[in-house]
Amino acid sequence: MKKNKIISFVCLLFAIAFVFSIFASGLQAFFSVKSCVFAESATSAKSMCVMETSSKRVLESKNENLHLPMASTTKIMTAITAIENCKDLDKTFEISPKSVGISGTSIYLRKEEVMSTRDLLYGLMLVSGNDASVALAEHVGGSTKTFVALMNSLASKIGAYDTHFDNTHGLDSQTHYTTAKDLALITSYALENDTFREIVSTSNIKITNSDGKVRYLKNKNKLLSSLEGCCGVKTGFTNDAGRCLVSACERDGMRVVAVVLNCGPMFEESKILLEKAFEDYKLYNLINNLNIPQTIQVDEGRQDKVRIKLNGEFSYPLTEKEFDGVKYQINLQKSITAPVDKGTEVGEVKIFINNDLHFCEKIYTIENVRRNSIWQKIKDFVNRW
């Protein structure tokens, strides 16, 4: 009887272990599927792209190359085009009558009103003034048509080849479109500009025209006050485009842009996307991991060594697993024969990520070394003797 009880108890333990193993496998599968679901459809947006701004690496995406209307996120390009083509942002001018009474969101510009380009940029980016966009275009470009041509030219320069602008404000037009990836590229470019970053990260500001009329502006981007490290950038809405948001966040030296087009809960889902990016990725300075000698041997020179240097820096956003798999290849001459000129190539460095070449740069000498003359050799021999 006692033996039967022991056998029954052992069988029960095996049964419990078996059930637990099935449960654990199911749990693992659940989280695997959940992760897969996040990767494929992390947002209800029609199109989405999350990008690290220095490398332009896409960290997360959904229909990122789909042509879509972009509403007032257009004004990111309007702002950076105006900034780059205006010599003095603080110089005041009389706004064009063509900017008065523009439909949609407005800062309610008045006829013969005099303002500065900088104040109009705040009105453009904080409260999405359509009239401010036209006033900027007329002043900076001479005409809206010329200014829009500048916008399209800059888009091509940036590499946003699937984007076309018809206007400065983003009101619906069949040939006014972008992609989530292009908009991330445009925003990454714009955020390199100090003035642009300062404007889009401003929560509240007071602007005043030449007559003393004051406007109090409050940024429509809710993430500025609810997301750690948020630094802008622009909201948008039209009937065709739906709710659109381009947001940016910076932590520990890594800046990430999230673009959602036609997304109902745009603030909530953008926050989730950005938090996930910082959870999964870190910006690594991969040059710091290289063990490159500071000098190499010089034969027949007046000095026996020459200083060398790798030109260029390389930082890249990686998961921890990707970082552990990074491969480095250093090809360096053991010595060089004098005379040596500054800037002489003596080697190269290659960095591979997921077996793909991502960085290749030459190593150069950073000083001159003269050849030892026969008289110097005699002198050295005498000194040694």
Side-chain angles (χ1 to χ4, degrees), residues 195-254:
T195 300
F196 181 89
R197 284 201 314 275
E198 179 182 351
I199 290 170
V200 299
S201 62
T202 299
S203 297
N204 300 276
I205 197 169
K206 177 180 73 173
I207 62 173
T208 308
N209 71 4
S210 60
D211 293 332
K213 175 179 170 56
V214 176
R215 289 177 173 88
Y216 295 93
L217 309 178
K218 180 178 175 60
N219 202 317
K220 292 184 176 183
N221 189 350
K222 296 178 181 179
L223 292 184
L224 279 173
S225 58
S226 63
L227 178 64
E228 178 192 351
C230 182
C231 47
V233 222
K234 190 71 190 72
T235 60
F237 172 80
T238 64
N239 290 332
D240 286 352
R243 300 185 76 198
C244 302
L245 176 64
V246 179
S247 49
C249 189
E250 187 168 355
R251 297 177 188 172
D252 299 323
M254 182 170 79

Side-chain angles (χ1 to χ4, degrees), residues 7-53:
I7 293 172
S8 297
F9 180 72
V10 171
C11 290
L12 179 62
L13 288 177
F14 275 111
I16 292 172
F18 178 72
V19 170
F20 180 78
S21 66
I22 293 175
F23 174 74
S25 298
L27 195 64
Q28 184 178 4
F30 169 77
F31 282 112
S32 177
V33 170
K34 186 175 180 182
S35 176
C36 180
V37 168
F38 183 88
E40 293 179 359
S41 56
T43 174
S44 61
K46 193 168 184 178
S47 178
M48 170 270 289
C49 183
V50 179
M51 179 180 288
E52 192 278 319
T53 62

Side-chain angles (χ1 to χ4, degrees), residues 46-267:
K46 193 168 184 178
S47 178
M48 170 270 289
C49 183
V50 179
M51 179 180 288
E52 192 278 319
T53 62
S54 65
S55 66
K56 312 300 186 295
R57 183 182 185 184
V58 174
L59 309 181
E60 194 72 55
S61 64
K62 173 186 174 183
N63 299 328
E64 71 274 21
N65 295 315
L66 184 65
H67 287 196
L68 290 172
M70 64 196 114
S72 284
T73 60
T74 296
K75 290 163 183 161
I76 295 170
M77 180 58 90
T78 306
I80 191 61
T81 301
I83 291 169
E84 290 190 350
N85 288 277
C86 183
K87 293 181 179 179
D88 185 357
L89 297 180
D90 295 307
K91 184 177 180 180
T92 58
F93 63 94
E94 184 175 312
I95 64 166
S96 168
K98 294 180 181 179
S99 62
V100 177
I102 301 296
S103 61
T105 50
S106 176
I107 62 172
Y108 304 103
L109 293 173
R110 300 176 303 180
K111 186 178 180 180
E112 297 180 355
E113 190 168 7
V114 175
M115 298 188 70
S116 70
T117 300
R118 189 182 302 277
D119 282 351
L120 285 170
L121 285 166
Y122 278 106
L124 176 80
M125 299 305 288
L126 270 64
V127 296
S128 204
N130 289 348
D131 50 355
S133 78
V134 176
L136 286 166
E138 291 286 314
H139 171 63
V140 175
S143 71
T144 300
K145 182 179 180 181
T146 301
F147 187 86
V148 170
L150 291 174
M151 292 170 65
N152 284 311
S153 176
L154 183 54
S156 294
K157 173 186 171 183
I158 293 169
Y161 302 120
D162 287 313
T163 295
H164 185 266
F165 297 102
D166 274 348
N167 57 59
T168 58
H169 37 62
L171 293 179
D172 293 325
S173 166
Q174 288 187 348
T175 51
H176 187 90
Y177 58 83
T178 191
T179 67
K181 184 177 180 180
D182 272 9
L183 200 47
L185 284 171
I186 291 167
T187 306
S188 295
Y189 174 85
L191 285 168
E192 294 174 7
N193 184 282
D194 293 341
T195 300
F196 181 89
R197 284 201 314 275
E198 179 182 351
I199 290 170
V200 299
S201 62
T202 299
S203 297
N204 300 276
I205 197 169
K206 177 180 73 173
I207 62 173
T208 308
N209 71 4
S210 60
D211 293 332
K213 175 179 170 56
V214 176
R215 289 177 173 88
Y216 295 93
L217 309 178
K218 180 178 175 60
N219 202 317
K220 292 184 176 183
N221 189 350
K222 296 178 181 179
L223 292 184
L224 279 173
S225 58
S226 63
L227 178 64
E228 178 192 351
C230 182
C231 47
V233 222
K234 190 71 190 72
T235 60
F237 172 80
T238 64
N239 290 332
D240 286 352
R243 300 185 76 198
C244 302
L245 176 64
V246 179
S247 49
C249 189
E250 187 168 355
R251 297 177 188 172
D252 299 323
M254 182 170 79
R255 184 189 298 138
V256 178
V257 167
V259 177
V260 290
L261 300 177
N262 200 341
C263 177
M266 60 182 187
F267 291 115

